[in-house]
Coordinates of all heavy atoms in Angstrom, one line a residue:
M1 N -31.6 -162.4 14.8 CA -32.0 -161.1 14.1 C -31.7 -161.2 12.7 O -30.6 -161.7 12.3 CB -31.2 -160.0 14.8 CG -31.6 -159.6 16.2 SD -33.3 -158.8 16.2 CE -32.8 -157.1 16.1
T2 N -32.5 -160.6 11.9 CA -32.2 -160.6 10.5 C -31.7 -159.2 10.1 O -32.0 -158.2 10.6 CB -33.5 -160.8 9.7 OG1 -34.5 -159.9 10.1 CG2 -34.1 -162.2 9.8
T3 N -30.8 -159.3 9.2 CA -30.2 -158.0 8.7 C -30.9 -157.5 7.5 O -31.1 -158.3 6.5 CB -28.7 -158.2 8.3 OG1 -28.0 -159.0 9.4 CG2 -28.0 -156.9 8.1
Q4 N -31.4 -156.3 7.5 CA -32.2 -155.8 6.4 C -31.2 -155.1 5.4 O -30.4 -154.3 5.8 CB -33.2 -154.8 6.9 CG -34.4 -155.4 7.4 CD -35.7 -154.7 7.0 OE1 -35.7 -153.5 7.0 NE2 -36.7 -155.4 6.6
D5 N -31.4 -155.6 4.2 CA -30.6 -155.0 3.1 C -31.3 -153.8 2.6 O -32.3 -153.9 1.8 CB -30.3 -156.0 2.1 CG -29.4 -155.5 0.9 OD1 -29.0 -154.3 1.0 OD2 -29.1 -156.3 0.0
T6 N -30.9 -152.6 2.9 CA -31.7 -151.4 2.6 C -31.4 -151.0 1.1 O -32.1 -150.2 0.5 CB -31.3 -150.2 3.4 OG1 -29.9 -150.1 3.5 CG2 -31.9 -150.4 4.8
S7 N -30.4 -151.5 0.5 CA -30.0 -151.2 -0.9 C -30.9 -152.0 -1.8 O -30.9 -151.8 -3.0 CB -28.6 -151.5 -1.1 OG -28.3 -152.8 -1.1
R8 N -31.6 -153.0 -1.3 CA -32.4 -153.9 -2.1 C -33.6 -153.0 -2.6 O -34.3 -152.4 -1.8 CB -32.9 -155.1 -1.3 CG -33.6 -156.1 -2.1 CD -33.8 -157.3 -1.3 NE -34.9 -158.2 -1.8 CZ -35.3 -159.2 -1.2 NH1 -34.8 -159.6 0.0 NH2 -36.2 -160.0 -1.7
P9 N -33.9 -153.0 -3.9 CA -35.0 -152.2 -4.5 C -36.4 -152.7 -4.0 O -36.6 -153.9 -4.0 CB -34.9 -152.4 -6.0 CG -33.9 -153.5 -6.2 CD -33.2 -153.7 -5.0
L10 N -37.2 -151.8 -3.6 CA -38.6 -152.1 -3.2 C -39.5 -152.0 -4.4 O -39.4 -151.1 -5.2 CB -38.9 -151.0 -2.1 CG -40.4 -151.1 -1.6 CD1 -40.5 -152.3 -0.6 CD2 -40.7 -149.9 -0.8
E11 N -40.4 -153.0 -4.4 CA -41.3 -153.0 -5.6 C -42.7 -152.5 -5.1 O -43.2 -152.9 -4.0 CB -41.4 -154.5 -6.1 CG -41.8 -154.5 -7.5 CD -41.8 -155.9 -8.1 OE1 -42.5 -156.7 -7.5 OE2 -41.2 -156.2 -9.1
V12 N -43.2 -151.5 -5.8 CA -44.5 -150.9 -5.5 C -45.4 -151.0 -6.7 O -44.9 -151.1 -7.8 CB -44.3 -149.4 -5.0 CG1 -43.6 -149.4 -3.7 CG2 -43.7 -148.6 -6.1
A13 N -46.6 -150.9 -6.5 CA -47.6 -150.8 -7.6 C -47.9 -149.4 -8.0 O -48.2 -148.6 -7.1 CB -48.9 -151.5 -7.2
C14 N -47.8 -149.1 -9.2 CA -48.1 -147.7 -9.7 C -49.5 -147.4 -9.3 O -50.4 -148.1 -9.6 CB -47.9 -147.7 -11.2 SG -48.5 -146.1 -12.0
P15 N -49.7 -146.2 -8.6 CA -51.1 -145.9 -8.2 C -52.0 -145.6 -9.4 O -53.2 -145.6 -9.2 CB -50.8 -144.6 -7.4 CG -49.4 -144.5 -7.1 CD -48.7 -145.3 -8.2
Q16 N -51.5 -145.3 -10.5 CA -52.3 -145.0 -11.7 C -52.7 -146.2 -12.5 O -53.8 -146.4 -12.8 CB -51.5 -144.0 -12.6 CG -52.3 -143.4 -13.7 CD -53.5 -142.6 -13.2 OE1 -53.4 -141.9 -12.2 NE2 -54.6 -142.7 -13.8
C17 N -51.7 -147.1 -12.9 CA -52.0 -148.2 -13.7 C -51.8 -149.6 -13.0 O -52.0 -150.6 -13.6 CB -51.2 -148.1 -15.0 SG -49.4 -148.4 -14.8
R18 N -51.3 -149.5 -11.8 CA -51.1 -150.7 -11.0 C -50.0 -151.6 -11.5 O -49.8 -152.7 -11.1 CB -52.4 -151.6 -10.9 CG -53.6 -150.8 -10.3 CD -53.4 -150.6 -8.8 NE -54.3 -149.5 -8.4 CZ -54.2 -148.9 -7.2 NH1 -53.2 -149.2 -6.4 NH2 -54.9 -148.0 -6.8
K19 N -49.1 -151.1 -12.4 CA -48.0 -151.8 -12.9 C -46.9 -151.8 -11.8 O -46.8 -150.9 -11.0 CB -47.5 -151.1 -14.1 CG -46.6 -152.1 -14.9 CD -46.3 -151.3 -16.3 CE -44.8 -150.8 -16.3 NZ -44.5 -150.2 -17.5
K20 N -46.2 -152.9 -11.7 CA -45.2 -153.1 -10.6 C -44.0 -152.2 -11.1 O -43.5 -152.3 -12.2 CB -44.8 -154.5 -10.5 CG -45.8 -155.4 -9.9 CD -45.8 -155.3 -8.4 CE -46.7 -156.3 -7.7 NZ -46.9 -156.1 -6.3
V21 N -43.6 -151.4 -10.2 CA -42.4 -150.5 -10.4 C -41.4 -150.6 -9.3 O -41.8 -150.9 -8.1 CB -42.8 -149.1 -10.6 CG1 -43.3 -148.8 -12.0 CG2 -43.7 -148.6 -9.6
L22 N -40.1 -150.4 -9.6 CA -39.1 -150.5 -8.6 C -39.0 -149.1 -8.0 O -38.9 -148.1 -8.6 CB -37.8 -150.9 -9.2 CG -37.6 -152.4 -9.6 CD1 -36.2 -152.6 -10.1 CD2 -37.9 -153.3 -8.4
W23 N -39.0 -149.0 -6.6 CA -38.9 -147.8 -5.9 C -37.4 -147.6 -5.8 O -36.7 -148.2 -4.9 CB -39.5 -147.8 -4.6 CG -39.5 -146.6 -3.8 CD1 -38.3 -146.0 -3.2 CD2 -40.5 -145.7 -3.6 NE1 -38.7 -144.9 -2.7 CE2 -40.0 -144.6 -2.8 CE3 -41.9 -145.7 -3.9 CZ2 -40.8 -143.6 -2.4 CZ3 -42.7 -144.6 -3.5 CH2 -42.1 -143.5 -2.7
S24 N -36.8 -146.8 -6.7 CA -35.3 -146.5 -6.6 C -35.1 -145.1 -7.0 O -35.9 -144.4 -7.6 CB -34.7 -147.5 -7.5 OG -34.8 -147.1 -8.8
A25 N -33.9 -144.6 -6.7 CA -33.5 -143.3 -7.0 C -33.4 -143.1 -8.5 O -33.5 -142.0 -9.0 CB -32.2 -142.9 -6.4
A26 N -33.3 -144.2 -9.2 CA -33.2 -144.1 -10.7 C -34.6 -143.8 -11.3 O -34.7 -143.5 -12.5 CB -32.7 -145.5 -11.2
N27 N -35.6 -144.0 -10.5 CA -37.0 -143.7 -11.0 C -37.5 -142.4 -10.4 O -38.0 -142.3 -9.4 CB -37.9 -144.9 -10.7 CG -39.3 -144.6 -11.1 OD1 -39.6 -143.7 -11.9 ND2 -40.3 -145.4 -10.6
P28 N -37.4 -141.3 -11.2 CA -37.8 -140.0 -10.7 C -39.3 -139.9 -10.5 O -39.8 -138.9 -10.0 CB -37.3 -139.0 -11.7 CG -37.2 -139.8 -13.0 CD -36.9 -141.2 -12.6
Y29 N -40.0 -140.8 -11.1 CA -41.5 -140.7 -11.1 C -42.2 -141.6 -10.1 O -43.4 -141.7 -10.1 CB -42.0 -141.1 -12.5 CG -41.4 -140.3 -13.6 CD1 -40.6 -141.0 -14.6 CD2 -41.4 -138.9 -13.6 CE1 -40.0 -140.3 -15.6 CE2 -40.7 -138.2 -14.7 CZ -40.1 -138.9 -15.6 OH -39.4 -138.2 -16.6
R30 N -41.3 -142.2 -9.2 CA -41.8 -143.1 -8.2 C -42.9 -142.3 -7.3 O -42.6 -141.1 -7.1 CB -40.7 -143.7 -7.3 CG -40.0 -142.6 -6.6 CD -38.7 -143.3 -5.9 NE -38.0 -142.4 -5.1 CZ -37.0 -141.6 -5.6 NH1 -36.7 -141.6 -6.9 NH2 -36.4 -140.7 -4.8
P31 N -43.9 -142.8 -6.8 CA -44.2 -144.3 -7.0 C -44.9 -144.7 -8.3 O -45.4 -145.7 -8.4 CB -45.2 -144.5 -5.8 CG -46.0 -143.2 -5.7 CD -44.9 -142.2 -6.1
F32 N -44.9 -143.7 -9.3 CA -45.5 -144.0 -10.5 C -44.5 -144.7 -11.5 O -43.3 -144.6 -11.2 CB -46.0 -142.8 -11.2 CG -47.0 -142.1 -10.4 CD1 -46.6 -141.0 -9.6 CD2 -48.4 -142.4 -10.3 CE1 -47.5 -140.3 -8.8 CE2 -49.2 -141.8 -9.5 CZ -48.9 -140.7 -8.7
C33 N -45.0 -145.4 -12.5 CA -44.1 -146.2 -13.3 C -43.5 -145.3 -14.4 O -42.5 -145.6 -15.0 CB -44.9 -147.3 -14.0 SG -46.1 -146.8 -15.1
S34 N -44.2 -144.1 -14.7 CA -43.7 -143.3 -15.8 C -44.2 -141.9 -15.5 O -45.1 -141.6 -14.7 CB -44.2 -143.8 -17.1 OG -45.7 -143.7 -17.1
K35 N -43.6 -141.0 -16.3 CA -44.1 -139.6 -16.2 C -45.5 -139.4 -16.6 O -46.2 -138.6 -16.0 CB -43.2 -138.8 -17.3 CG -43.4 -137.2 -17.2 CD -42.5 -136.5 -18.2 CE -42.7 -135.0 -18.0 NZ -41.8 -134.3 -19.0
R36 N -46.0 -140.2 -17.6 CA -47.3 -140.2 -18.1 C -48.3 -140.4 -16.9 O -49.3 -139.8 -16.7 CB -47.5 -141.2 -19.2 CG -48.8 -141.1 -19.9 CD -48.9 -142.1 -21.0 NE -50.3 -142.3 -21.4 CZ -51.1 -143.1 -20.8 NH1 -50.7 -143.9 -19.9 NH2 -52.4 -143.3 -21.3
C37 N -48.0 -141.5 -16.1 CA -48.9 -141.9 -15.1 C -48.9 -140.8 -14.0 O -49.9 -140.5 -13.4 CB -48.5 -143.3 -14.5 SG -49.1 -144.6 -15.4
R38 N -47.7 -140.2 -13.7 CA -47.7 -139.2 -12.7 C -48.5 -138.0 -13.1 O -49.2 -137.4 -12.3 CB -46.2 -138.8 -12.5 CG -46.0 -138.0 -11.2 CD -44.7 -137.6 -10.9 NE -44.2 -136.6 -11.8 CZ -43.1 -135.8 -11.6 NH1 -42.4 -136.0 -10.6 NH2 -42.8 -135.0 -12.6
L39 N -48.4 -137.6 -14.3 CA -49.2 -136.5 -14.9 C -50.6 -136.7 -14.8 O -51.5 -135.9 -14.5 CB -48.7 -136.1 -16.3 CG -47.3 -135.5 -16.4 CD1 -47.0 -135.2 -17.8 CD2 -47.3 -134.1 -15.6
L40 N -51.0 -138.0 -15.2 CA -52.4 -138.4 -15.1 C -53.0 -138.2 -13.7 O -54.1 -137.7 -13.6 CB -52.6 -139.8 -15.7 CG -52.6 -140.0 -17.2 CD1 -52.5 -141.5 -17.5 CD2 -53.8 -139.3 -17.8
D41 N -52.2 -138.7 -12.8 CA -52.6 -138.6 -11.4 C -52.7 -137.2 -10.9 O -53.7 -136.8 -10.3 CB -51.7 -139.4 -10.5 CG -52.3 -139.6 -9.2 OD1 -53.2 -140.5 -9.0 OD2 -51.8 -139.0 -8.2
L42 N -51.8 -136.4 -11.2 CA -51.8 -135.0 -10.8 C -53.0 -134.3 -11.5 O -53.6 -133.4 -10.9 CB -50.5 -134.3 -11.2 CG -49.3 -134.7 -10.3 CD1 -48.0 -134.0 -10.9 CD2 -49.5 -134.2 -8.9
G43 N -53.2 -134.6 -12.7 CA -54.3 -134.0 -13.5 C -55.6 -134.3 -12.9 O -56.5 -133.5 -12.8
A44 N -55.8 -135.6 -12.4 CA -57.0 -136.0 -11.8 C -57.2 -135.2 -10.5 O -58.3 -134.8 -10.2 CB -57.0 -137.5 -11.5
W45 N -56.2 -135.0 -9.7 CA -56.3 -134.2 -8.5 C -56.6 -132.8 -8.8 O -57.6 -132.2 -8.2 CB -54.9 -134.2 -7.8 CG -54.8 -135.3 -6.8 CD1 -54.3 -136.5 -6.9 CD2 -55.4 -135.2 -5.4 NE1 -54.4 -137.2 -5.7 CE2 -55.1 -136.4 -4.8 CE3 -56.1 -134.3 -4.7 CZ2 -55.4 -136.8 -3.6 CZ3 -56.4 -134.6 -3.4 CH2 -56.1 -135.8 -2.8
A46 N -56.0 -132.2 -9.8 CA -56.3 -130.8 -10.1 C -57.6 -130.6 -10.6 O -58.4 -129.7 -10.2 CB -55.2 -130.3 -11.2
D47 N -58.1 -131.6 -11.4 CA -59.4 -131.5 -12.0 C -60.5 -131.6 -10.8 O -61.4 -130.8 -10.8 CB -59.6 -132.8 -12.9 CG -60.8 -132.5 -13.9 OD1 -60.9 -131.4 -14.3 OD2 -61.5 -133.5 -14.2
E48 N -60.2 -132.4 -9.8 CA -61.2 -132.6 -8.7 C -61.2 -131.3 -7.9 O -62.3 -130.8 -7.6 CB -60.7 -133.8 -7.8 CG -61.8 -134.7 -7.5 CD -61.3 -136.0 -6.9 OE1 -60.8 -136.9 -7.6 OE2 -61.3 -136.0 -5.7
S49 N -60.1 -130.7 -7.6 CA -60.1 -129.5 -6.7 C -60.7 -128.4 -7.5 O -61.4 -127.5 -6.9 CB -58.7 -129.2 -6.3 OG -57.8 -129.2 -7.4
H50 N -60.5 -128.4 -8.8 CA -61.1 -127.4 -9.6 C -62.6 -127.4 -9.5 O -63.3 -126.4 -9.4 CB -60.7 -127.6 -11.1 CG -60.8 -126.4 -12.0 ND1 -60.2 -125.2 -11.7 CD2 -61.5 -126.1 -13.1 CE1 -60.5 -124.3 -12.6 NE2 -61.3 -124.9 -13.5
R51 N -63.2 -128.6 -9.6 CA -64.6 -128.8 -9.5 C -65.1 -128.4 -8.1 O -66.2 -127.8 -8.0 CB -64.9 -130.3 -9.9 CG -65.8 -130.3 -11.1 CD -66.1 -131.8 -11.5 NE -65.0 -132.4 -12.3 CZ -64.7 -133.7 -12.2 NH1 -65.2 -134.5 -11.4 NH2 -63.7 -134.1 -13.0
I52 N -64.4 -128.8 -7.1 CA -64.8 -128.5 -5.7 C -64.9 -127.0 -5.5 O -65.7 -126.5 -4.8 CB -63.9 -129.2 -4.7 CG1 -64.2 -130.7 -4.8 CG2 -64.1 -128.7 -3.3 CD1 -63.1 -131.5 -4.0
A53 N -63.9 -126.3 -6.1 CA -63.9 -124.8 -5.9 C -65.1 -124.2 -6.5 O -65.6 -123.1 -6.0 CB -62.6 -124.3 -6.7
G54 N -65.6 -124.8 -7.6 CA -66.9 -124.3 -8.1 C -66.8 -123.1 -9.0 O -65.9 -122.3 -8.9
E55 N -67.8 -123.0 -9.9 CA -67.9 -121.9 -10.9 C -66.6 -121.5 -11.6 O -66.1 -120.4 -11.6 CB -68.4 -120.6 -10.1 CG -69.7 -120.9 -9.4 CD -70.1 -119.7 -8.7 OE1 -70.4 -118.6 -9.3 OE2 -70.2 -119.7 -7.4
P56 N -65.9 -122.5 -12.2 CA -64.7 -122.3 -12.9 C -64.9 -121.4 -14.1 O -64.1 -120.6 -14.5 CB -64.2 -123.7 -13.3 CG -65.3 -124.6 -13.2 CD -66.3 -124.0 -12.2
A57 N -66.1 -121.6 -14.8 CA -66.4 -120.8 -16.0 C -66.5 -119.4 -15.7 O -66.1 -118.5 -16.4 CB -67.7 -121.4 -16.6
M58 N -67.2 -119.0 -14.5 CA -67.4 -117.7 -14.1 C -66.0 -117.0 -13.8 O -65.8 -115.9 -14.2 CB -68.3 -117.6 -12.8 CG -69.7 -117.9 -13.1 SD -70.5 -116.7 -14.1 CE -71.1 -115.6 -12.8
D59 N -65.2 -117.8 -13.1 CA -63.8 -117.2 -12.8 C -63.1 -116.8 -14.1 O -62.5 -115.8 -14.2 CB -63.0 -118.2 -12.1 CG -63.5 -118.4 -10.6 OD1 -64.3 -117.5 -10.2 OD2 -63.1 -119.4 -10.0
E60 N -63.2 -117.7 -15.1 CA -62.4 -117.4 -16.3 C -63.1 -116.2 -17.0 O -62.3 -115.4 -17.6 CB -62.5 -118.6 -17.2 CG -61.3 -119.6 -16.9 CD -61.6 -120.9 -17.6 OE1 -62.0 -121.0 -18.7 OE2 -61.3 -122.0 -16.9
T61 N -64.4 -116.0 -17.0 CA -65.0 -114.9 -17.6 C -64.6 -113.6 -16.9 O -64.3 -112.6 -17.5 CB -66.5 -115.1 -17.5 OG1 -66.9 -116.3 -18.0 CG2 -67.2 -114.0 -18.4
D62 N -64.6 -113.7 -15.6 CA -64.2 -112.5 -14.8 C -62.7 -112.1 -15.1 O -62.4 -111.0 -15.3 CB -64.3 -112.9 -13.3 CG -65.7 -112.7 -12.8 OD1 -66.5 -112.4 -13.6 OD2 -65.9 -113.0 -11.6
L63 N -61.9 -113.1 -15.3 CA -60.5 -112.9 -15.5 C -60.4 -112.1 -16.9 O -59.6 -111.2 -17.1 CB -59.7 -114.2 -15.5 CG -58.2 -114.0 -15.5 CD1 -57.8 -113.4 -14.2 CD2 -57.5 -115.4 -15.6
D64 N -61.1 -112.7 -17.9 CA -61.1 -112.1 -19.2 C -61.5 -110.6 -19.2 O -60.9 -109.8 -19.8 CB -62.0 -112.9 -20.1 CG -61.3 -114.0 -20.8 OD1 -60.1 -114.1 -20.6 OD2 -62.0 -114.8 -21.4
A65 N -62.6 -110.4 -18.4 CA -63.1 -109.0 -18.3 C -62.0 -108.1 -17.6 O -61.8 -107.0 -18.1 CB -64.4 -109.0 -17.5
L66 N -61.4 -108.6 -16.6 CA -60.4 -107.8 -15.9 C -59.2 -107.5 -16.8 O -58.7 -106.4 -16.8 CB -59.9 -108.6 -14.7 CG -60.8 -108.6 -13.4 CD1 -60.3 -109.5 -12.3 CD2 -60.9 -107.2 -12.8
L67 N -58.8 -108.5 -17.6 CA -57.6 -108.3 -18.5 C -58.0 -107.3 -19.5 O -57.2 -106.4 -19.9 CB -57.3 -109.7 -19.1 CG -56.5 -110.6 -18.2 CD1 -56.4 -112.0 -18.9 CD2 -55.2 -110.1 -17.9
A68 N -59.2 -107.4 -20.0 CA -59.7 -106.4 -21.1 C -59.7 -105.0 -20.5 O -59.3 -104.1 -21.2 CB -61.1 -106.8 -21.5
R69 N -60.2 -104.9 -19.2 CA -60.2 -103.5 -18.6 C -58.8 -103.0 -18.4 O -58.5 -101.9 -18.7 CB -61.0 -103.7 -17.3 CG -61.8 -102.5 -17.0 CD -62.6 -102.6 -15.7 NE -63.5 -103.8 -15.8 CZ -64.0 -104.5 -14.8 NH1 -63.6 -104.2 -13.6 NH2 -64.8 -105.4 -14.9
A70 N -57.9 -103.9 -17.9 CA -56.5 -103.5 -17.6 C -55.9 -103.1 -18.9 O -55.0 -102.2 -18.9 CB -55.8 -104.7 -17.0
D71 N -56.2 -103.8 -20.0 CA -55.6 -103.5 -21.3 C -56.0 -102.0 -21.7 O -55.2 -101.2 -22.1 CB -56.2 -104.4 -22.3 CG -55.1 -105.2 -22.9 OD1 -54.0 -105.2 -22.4 OD2 -55.4 -105.9 -24.1
Q72 N -57.3 -101.7 -21.5 CA -57.8 -100.3 -21.9 C -57.2 -99.3 -21.1 O -56.7 -98.2 -21.5 CB -59.3 -100.3 -21.8 CG -60.0 -101.1 -22.9 CD -61.5 -101.3 -22.6 OE1 -62.0 -100.8 -21.7 NE2 -62.1 -102.1 -23.5
D73 N -57.1 -99.5 -19.7 CA -56.6 -98.5 -18.8 C -55.1 -98.3 -18.9 O -54.6 -97.2 -18.8 CB -57.0 -98.9 -17.3 CG -58.5 -98.9 -17.1 OD1 -59.2 -98.3 -17.9 OD2 -58.9 -99.4 -16.1
G74 N -54.4 -99.5 -19.1 CA -53.0 -99.4 -19.1 C -52.4 -98.8 -20.4 O -51.3 -98.3 -20.4
E75 N -53.2 -98.7 -21.4 CA -52.7 -98.2 -22.7 C -52.7 -96.7 -22.7 O -53.8 -96.1 -22.8 CB -53.5 -98.8 -23.8 CG -52.9 -98.5 -25.2 CD -52.6 -99.8 -26.0 OE1 -52.8 -100.9 -25.4 OE2 -52.2 -99.7 -27.1
P76 N -51.6 -96.1 -22.8 CA -51.6 -94.6 -23.0 C -52.0 -94.2 -24.4 O -51.2 -94.5 -25.3 CB -50.2 -94.2 -22.6 CG -49.4 -95.4 -22.6 CD -50.3 -96.6 -22.9
S77 N -53.1 -93.5 -24.6 CA -53.5 -93.2 -25.9 C -53.1 -91.8 -26.3 O -52.6 -91.0 -25.6 CB -55.1 -93.3 -26.0 OG -55.7 -92.8 -24.8
Ligands
ZN101 ZN1 -48.2 -146.5 -14.3

């Protein structure tokens, strides 16, 4: 039987740039190599779901209109 040394750092490839990174508690961005790569990956995900949701421009226009209306109604003149 072989004894597994669990304290030995595991090496993984960053999903974003494929750079080899150590999977350790010292790396808060694991499995990514850096904060930049993690943000890039999250950004790609958000971008995709945004597109799948559809009509993002319409939603923003609606929100603007609602905010403008709330502004007028909420203001005691
Ligand atoms: Zn990376």
Side-chain angles (χ1 to χ4, degrees):
M1 288 291 271
T2 53
T3 312
Q4 280 221 319
D5 184 359
T6 48
S7 69
R8 192 172 158 182
L10 176 73
E11 209 176 53
V12 295
C14 170
Q16 189 62 38
C17 70
R18 301 288 162 198
K19 199 171 103 179
K20 290 278 185 185
V21 282
L22 287 182
W23 184 288
S24 74
N27 176 13
Y29 309 118
R30 64 188 183 274
F32 302 96
C33 68
S34 63
K35 186 180 185 178
R36 186 178 166 273
C37 277
R38 194 177 72 162
L39 287 177
L40 279 172
D41 192 72
L42 288 175
W45 266 99
D47 202 36
E48 229 169 280
S49 51
H50 198 59
R51 244 177 273 148
I52 288 166
E55 303 176 64
M58 288 293 270
D59 286 347
E60 273 166 43
T61 310
D62 280 358
L63 194 65
D64 273 350
L66 280 172
L67 284 172
R69 214 176 302 154
D71 242 14
Q72 286 168 5
D73 292 347
E75 190 123 355
S77 40

